[in-house]
Amino acid sequence: MSITLFKTLIAVAEEGSFNAAADRVCVTHAAVGQQMKRLEETLGVALFDRSQKSPRLNQLGRAMVPKAKEVVAAYETILDDLTGDPRLIGDIVLGAVPSTLRGLVPKAMKGLIGQYPDLRIRLVPGLSPTLQEMVETGTVDAALVSAPSRTPATMTWTPFAVEKLVLLTSVEVTETDPERILSARPFIRHSALSAIGVMAEDWLARSRLKVRDMMEMSSLDTIASMVAHDLGVSIGPDFCVPDPIFGSLRKLSLGPTAPSRTLGVLSRADCSKYRLVERFLDELTRTVAAHGGHTVSKEIA
């Protein structure tokens, strides 16, 4: 019996439908249906209620899911138990906040793939709160996110870098006083739903600075592009590993009261691929250090 069948069963249970499970395991909807039919035939039992248009797990199917997870976890950690080296783990699903996808993550992944050339990586972008939910449900194995407001006992948070918030301007802006710039130039806000947006708003309020709002965006990458074209200024983290666009911007210190963003990796405490996640953390830390960024000790919270 293929371990793939159990992985697909788990995906169906956690995603709620064959369509959603197909996206997660990277096959077609029809292939998911075929795999589940094969699993039922192999076991000699019905795992789904097919009386409605969309098949749903029946009572036996739901009871099978925890057993399937145990089998998959045992399979994926068998080499760890024998050698302590996750060389034969076939794939890993990682989440990451968008601001890390053009610089930090690709460079770290290059180092990881250099160690494990047969490793298959699926990358899922998203904001920190969304990625935390995905880690909790097991949709992703681990996620690179901003420091969470809470870390449940079932999860592990390991910080590796700190990014100070700075004033971002284009090279056309020659003024050096952040307060004058913020008072005179159009301001591009980050989404108030994001950790960066909240920190920037708090700093502006504490500094009693009024800005001329121009637009609001949810992506730091998009903000950097707008600032680079001199459409306004913004407040954002000084990326520990900048991409070319961000690297071209001016970054002005906000002074001693400037807040910071802490980046780290979030995973489930029972993650079966924890050794591989640790390797990814090592590569992230090494990449940040190589670019002169501020790293933090790997203390699990």
Side-chain angles (χ1 to χ4, degrees):
M1 183 183 299
S2 170
I3 198 71
T4 300
L5 301 183
F6 286 125
K7 288 184 176 181
T8 303
L9 175 67
I10 294 168
V12 171
E14 293 183 344
E15 298 297 333
S17 70
F18 282 17
N19 273 332
D23 291 338
R24 174 166 162 180
V25 297
C26 302
V27 299
T28 64
H29 173 272
V32 170
Q34 292 167 2
Q35 289 180 13
M36 293 301 90
K37 194 68 176 176
R38 193 185 322 147
L39 179 60
E40 289 177 314
E41 292 172 352
T42 302
L43 296 174
V45 295
L47 300 175
F48 292 87
D49 177 4
R50 292 183 169 83
S51 62
Q52 300 181 19
K53 183 177 180 180
S54 298
R56 290 288 183 269
L57 284 167
N58 59 24
Q59 185 175 4
L60 183 59
R62 291 192 296 272
M64 175 66 71
V65 173
K67 297 293 185 182
K69 288 183 177 180
E70 292 177 7
V71 172
V72 171
Y75 173 83
E76 292 182 334
T77 59
I78 188 170
L79 191 66
D80 283 6
D81 295 337
L82 295 174
T83 69
D85 190 342
R87 282 173 293 180
L88 296 186
I89 292 179
D91 58 86
I92 187 170
V93 184
L94 298 171
V97 290
S99 60
T100 65
L101 295 179
R102 293 187 181 181
L104 174 59
V105 169
K107 293 178 185 296
M109 281 189 174
K110 186 174 182 180
L112 189 65
I113 293 173
Q115 296 181 61
Y116 311 110
D118 295 327
L119 180 66
R120 296 187 301 275
I121 302 174
R122 181 184 173 202
L123 189 61
V124 180
L127 296 180
S128 294
T130 301
L131 292 175
Q132 178 168 344
E133 291 179 4
M134 296 178 77
V135 173
E136 288 185 279
T137 60
T139 305
V140 300
D141 296 305
L144 193 170
V145 296
S146 299
S149 57
R150 62 176 185 85
T151 305
T154 57
M155 305 178 74
T156 296
W157 158 253
T158 310
F160 66 87
V162 175
E163 298 174 332
K164 204 82 169 177
L165 263 62
V166 293
L167 177 62
L168 305 173
T169 81
S170 69
V171 293
E172 283 83 0
V173 178
T174 57
E175 173 65 62
T176 58
D177 186 322
E179 292 191 9
R180 290 182 181 177
I181 295 173
L182 285 165
S183 298
R185 309 284 297 189
F187 186 70
I188 304 174
R189 291 183 184 274
H190 200 275
S191 171
L193 299 177
S194 69
I196 295 300
V198 171
M199 286 191 286
E201 292 301 316
D202 286 347
W203 184 84
L204 286 170
R206 284 188 283 107
S207 301
R208 298 181 179 178
L209 291 175
K210 292 184 178 181
V211 294
R212 293 198 295 123
D213 287 324
M214 179 184 180
M215 60 183 79
E216 178 178 312
M217 298 182 173
S218 59
S219 167
L220 283 169
D221 289 338
T222 306
I223 289 176
S225 181
M226 295 296 174
V227 171
H229 285 84
D230 199 28
L231 292 174
V233 300
S234 188
I235 292 175
D238 190 1
F239 291 171
C240 54
V241 182
D243 59 68
I245 291 179
F246 189 86
S248 69
L249 302 180
R250 293 181 70 214
K251 296 98 179 173
L252 300 178
S253 171
L254 297 176
T257 62
S260 298
R261 168 173 84 162
T262 301
L263 291 175
V265 171
L266 191 67
S267 63
R268 289 179 59 93
D270 60 356
C271 177
S272 64
K273 301 176 184 179
Y274 74 96
R275 292 183 186 272
L276 196 53
V277 173
E278 287 182 342
R279 302 293 193 280
F280 183 51
L281 261 167
D282 290 340
E283 290 301 325
L284 289 168
T285 303
R286 187 177 297 113
T287 302
V288 173
H291 285 78
H294 180 196
T295 59
V296 295
S297 60
K298 289 171 61 176
E299 297 176 357
I300 296 176

